[in-house]
Amino acid sequence: MLLSLSLYQFALIAKHELNVAEGFNVITGETGAGKSLLLDALSLCVGERADSAMVRHGAAHADIYAQFDVQGNGVIADWFVEHDRLLDEPEILIRRQLSSNGRSKAWLNGTPVSLAELKNLGSLLVNIHSQHAQQALLKPQFVVQWLDEMAQISALAAQTASHYQQYQQLQRRADDIASREAQRQDKIQLLQSQLTDIAPLLSVDYQEVEAEHEELSNIEALMQEASHGLHLLDNDTDEPDVMILLGRAIKLCDNQVGVSQTFVQASEQLHLAQQQITEVTALLSDYAEQQLPDPERLQALDSLISLGHRLSRKHGLPASDLIAEARAWQEQLEQLENEPSSDALAAQIEQAWQDYLQLATQLNDQRSQAAPTICTQLVAQLQPLALPNARCEFVFTKKSDPARYNAQGCFDIDLLFSANVGMPMQPLHKIASGGELSRMALVMQVLQATNADNNAAKPMLVFDEVDVGISGGTAQVVGELLRTLGQTQQLLAITHQAQVAAQAHQHILVQKHHHEQTQSELLILTDSEKVDELARMSGGVTITEVTREHARSLLTDVK
């Protein structure tokens, strides 16, 4: 339940704090006074998008605070748990701030909250019925959704819609795959050809191949260089070599080890060098005396190198990078080969279609069973609203082509209406007048609200321009209807009809004052002030004792 609404620098309101009563609250005032500002402010606090034009001229930002009593409201408690938020008080405070630069912020109990979260929470706190609700009646989708809510089968309807969407997704996927099948096969063949072409390179280390090819191509010259190096290190001729000279140096140092530590160290290093040169000599000897390599090996290396150069030119990549590219080709090939064909999806599509049909049939059965009772309720509420001969009926027509089945089911559903004796019932958009549509819309909204689970926490109901298309005695009945609804649920409504306003538990008047800067103010009327306001609504600008007496009679008739 909404406890209070506080506005600061919001549009025409500089500052105001409004306490909202239980039951039926009504808002009245002259045209242009700013009656819709309260609804705009409340809408912002429950997640609607902001407009910087709502910030009062000259102010940097506007602030709106909405305080709700949620004690015992299990739905709200569950929401706080689901969103990992703490609810440790019986009341919650929502703050919305609008900046003149177009930015908007929101807080829930002092903690920042996203607009999506706020909108989700707001739908549990407030249910706003637009003044254009009668226009929605002309849309078949609205009528079907209303029927489902009245029959309390919205969950089944949502499940049916979900299964239809799953079927459509599978069908679109199959169509997409079928349209790409030729391209898919061409791509598979291309990748297979590329991988076959590069396969010899995938089994070797190409850098090692290049190195081995370079060595074998120059093997005879390398063997000669090894022989020359070996001759310099150790030879059997009279020509001095490294080993002979090194032996002399070792002997010289060994003779002086007892004299100086330096010669000890030098002798050790020379012996180590002698050992290493011996090992190098053996390596060069083996290399110089090896047999020439098999020509077939060199030819195989030539083929791999030539393949690498050709593929490098073909793909514009170094041969070493082609190896990594080949792995990407392989992944693409596996993905394409594993992608199900349109034929492979056929069984899934058929199963999804049958699941949808089963749910759609069940949904239609429950709609058909509930429709007569709902029509009876609708007519019972319409007849007192100057429609004594009103009749309604839901008509279910099976769609002739399964291709026309949709998320709402297999049937077209029309709400037929007749307000006159002897006249056939026809769809609303063909027969109902504007006044009849507005009364129908109001009754449907009231029934929707009263049909909610009595054990569930009911959101506050807001009616914008509740009296569109009605007047006189009809307005009296509408007011009584809203007052009765207010016995079990909090309501806030804007009205231009004195008969409706007289039935309110709390009357809020919006007045506009023209000072240095135009400003609107909100007044909660006392009993005597209600008389003057109802007289103004009934009699126009000039309030007489006659209009006051009429206003008093309206208040006297309140039950």
Side-chain angles (χ1 to χ4, degrees), residues 206-473:
Y206 190 76
Q207 291 181 336
E208 290 183 359
V209 168
E210 287 182 313
E212 184 180 0
H213 180 268
E214 178 71 17
E215 182 180 10
L216 295 187
S217 298
N218 299 281
I219 189 65
E220 292 185 6
L222 291 173
M223 291 173 65
Q224 290 177 0
E225 290 296 320
S227 296
H228 181 63
L230 180 63
H231 180 76
L232 293 175
L233 293 175
D234 190 7
N235 59 73
D236 296 331
T237 67
D238 295 335
E239 182 181 350
D241 56 37
V242 171
M243 289 298 287
I244 291 174
L245 297 175
L246 185 59
R248 293 175 183 176
I250 290 173
K251 184 176 181 181
L252 184 151
C253 289
D254 284 347
N255 290 335
Q256 304 302 325
V257 294
V259 178
S260 172
Q261 187 63 32
T262 298
F263 285 93
V264 173
Q265 296 176 358
S267 177
E268 291 175 353
Q269 294 298 322
L270 289 172
H271 280 285
L272 181 60
Q274 187 181 48
Q275 180 180 351
Q276 292 175 337
I277 290 174
T278 300
E279 294 174 356
V280 170
T281 300
L283 285 174
L284 292 177
S285 176
D286 291 341
Y287 196 89
E289 296 174 2
Q290 68 176 314
Q291 293 183 349
L292 291 174
D294 186 352
E296 293 183 358
R297 176 57 182 168
L298 184 58
Q299 184 178 2
L301 293 175
D302 278 334
S303 297
L304 288 173
I305 295 296
S306 297
L307 176 62
H309 290 167
R310 178 175 65 80
L311 293 177
S312 180
R313 290 191 299 272
K314 179 178 180 180
H315 297 285
L317 291 172
S320 56
D321 292 345
L322 278 174
I323 308 302
E325 187 67 14
R327 296 191 185 97
W329 294 344
Q330 185 64 46
E331 291 177 1
Q332 292 179 42
L333 179 61
E334 291 174 357
Q335 183 177 0
L336 289 171
E337 289 178 337
N338 293 330
E339 187 175 276
S341 66
S342 55
D343 293 338
L345 285 175
Q348 296 181 45
I349 293 172
E350 178 61 25
Q351 184 61 53
W353 178 251
Q354 293 302 324
D355 291 343
Y356 159 73
L357 288 179
Q358 182 178 357
L359 287 170
T361 301
Q362 182 182 350
L363 178 61
N364 187 70
D365 290 345
Q366 295 195 25
R367 284 170 173 168
S368 301
Q369 293 171 10
T373 300
I374 294 172
C375 281
T376 300
Q377 292 177 307
L378 187 56
V379 169
Q381 295 284 2
L382 283 172
Q383 288 178 342
L385 300 180
L387 294 172
N389 300 309
R391 290 176 294 137
C392 297
E393 181 184 359
F394 282 101
V395 175
F396 297 80
T397 306
K398 184 73 175 285
K399 297 179 187 291
S400 58
D401 184 359
R404 295 183 57 242
Y405 293 1
N406 56 33
Q408 289 191 324
C410 311
F411 285 76
D412 291 319
I413 304 175
D414 289 307
L415 177 57
L416 305 187
F417 172 77
S418 175
N420 302 303
V421 176
M423 299 300 293
M425 289 188 290
Q426 296 186 44
L428 287 172
H429 67 277
K430 292 184 178 181
I431 190 171
S433 66
E436 290 166 348
L437 280 175
S438 65
R439 279 172 275 179
M440 176 76 79
L442 175 62
V443 168
M444 291 176 73
Q445 293 173 70
V446 170
L447 284 175
Q448 183 178 345
T450 55
N451 191 61
D453 186 353
N454 290 329
N455 295 321
K458 298 179 180 180
M460 176 190 191
L461 291 180
V462 177
F463 293 99
D464 188 2
E465 302 288 359
V466 70
D467 53 12
V468 173
I470 63 172
S471 61

Side-chain angles (χ1 to χ4, degrees), residues 517-533:
Q517 186 176 4
T518 301
Q519 181 171 316
S520 292
E521 67 173 354
L522 313 175
L523 302 174
I524 297 177
L525 301 184
T526 63
D527 289 343
S528 60
E529 290 170 336
K530 286 181 184 179
V531 172
D532 286 343
E533 173 61 9

